[in-house]
Amino acid sequence: MFNIVLHEPRMPGNVGTIGRLAFALNCTLHLIKPYGFGDITEKEVRRAGLDYWFELDVREYESIEDFWEKNPFNDRHFFATTKTKQIYFESKFEVGDYFYFGREDAGLPQVILNKSLETCITIPMTNNARSLNLANSVSVVCYEALRQNFKDFK
């Protein structure tokens, strides 16, 4: 359905939770190293992903360049960031789109955002919070993409 891209995730529980979401929505989960934890089979990842983890389409990459070599960049790659004013629900999403999310402690690096400032998206907040939890952010964007394309899955 969609492609969830996690750039250098730091918390195994978030990765497991996002993996469970990816399975529920039939998304591919792309994980770009280095991680802020050990191996992807770490206990916390498996526990949060439950038994869905082994049925999930999950792919690992050594770097963002490795990822782009295998998934050529185009205008269907969206970057979630607090550094833009373009709200996610104002974008038109399509089946097969790529949604990028950065590290829990730093977000996506500017060099990645610069790849396409036009496809940077943000989740609005009405208070002074710096950001949302990574797993929550992935859920918000993916379910909006599903809402926009739900007719294709009935």
Side-chain angles (χ1 to χ4, degrees), residues 6 27 37 56 71 86 93 147:
L6 301 184
C27 294
F37 51 89
L56 173 65
N71 303 275
Q86 183 171 312
F93 300 124
R147 185 195 67 78

Side-chain angles (χ1 to χ4, degrees), residues 41-85:
T41 59
E42 198 167 288
K43 181 174 73 173
E44 291 86 357
V45 173
R46 288 192 316 265
R47 182 174 44 199
L50 297 175
D51 54 340
Y52 305 111
W53 190 260
F54 300 102
E55 298 181 52
L56 173 65
D57 183 3
V58 60
R59 303 171 190 182
E60 296 181 85
Y61 305 88
E62 295 302 316
S63 66
I64 191 69
E65 292 78 18
D66 180 33
F67 173 77
W68 283 329
E69 183 177 307
K70 294 172 178 135
N71 303 275
F73 188 82
N74 61 36
D75 65 349
R76 304 313 311 166
H77 292 235
F78 294 87
F79 304 127
T81 179
T82 59
K83 299 172 184 166
T84 186
K85 296 203 181 293

Side-chain angles (χ1 to χ4, degrees), residues 23-50:
F23 177 79
L25 293 180
N26 198 27
C27 294
T28 300
L29 179 59
H30 303 270
L31 301 173
I32 301 172
K33 296 178 183 179
Y35 308 137
F37 51 89
D39 194 21
I40 199 63
T41 59
E42 198 167 288
K43 181 174 73 173
E44 291 86 357
V45 173
R46 288 192 316 265
R47 182 174 44 199
L50 297 175

